[in-house]
Amino acid sequence: ESTGWVCFVIEGHNFWVNSVMFSPHGSQIVSGSHNNTNKVWNMQMGAAISLPMEGHTSIVYSVMFLPNSSQIVSGAGNKTIRLWH
């Protein structure tokens, strides 16, 4: 049974992806991974447009773009929240 159509697949994390979110303008995606990093992706190219955002010392479980902003907030398993510019 089909559940929908895949538009495209973005690959680039070297571990599980736990969280994804579209940017407010819809042209980017932020993802948070089991390898303690976040990445920002260009939707049209399907490619990473940032180096991995490193700093969490535990699994990233949640990522989000701030409304009307390019800033990102992420939460990890070590009970920390980070704001990225």
Side-chain angles (χ1 to χ4, degrees):
E1 181 176 318
S2 178
T3 60
W5 296 95
V6 175
C7 295
F8 62 92
V9 176
I10 298 174
E11 296 179 348
H13 278 290
N14 60 7
F15 224 102
W16 300 317
V17 175
N18 298 319
S19 181
V20 295
M21 184 174 191
F22 280 98
S23 64
H25 45 77
S27 64
Q28 297 176 344
I29 296 174
V30 63
S31 58
S33 177
H34 217 73
N35 69 350
N36 311 350
T37 65
N38 306 325
K39 283 188 179 182
V40 178
W41 308 86
N42 177 293
M43 275 294 299
Q44 291 183 331
M45 296 173 21
I49 57 174
S50 74
L51 294 173
M53 297 175 205
E54 299 175 338
H56 282 295
T57 58
S58 183
I59 299 164
V60 177
Y61 286 106
S62 178
V63 292
M64 179 179 179
F65 278 97
L66 273 67
N68 301 315
S69 174
S70 61
Q71 291 181 314
I72 294 165
V73 64
S74 58
N78 63 344
K79 304 175 191 172
T80 62
I81 297 169
R82 290 183 183 259
L83 180 64
W84 307 86
H85 296 275

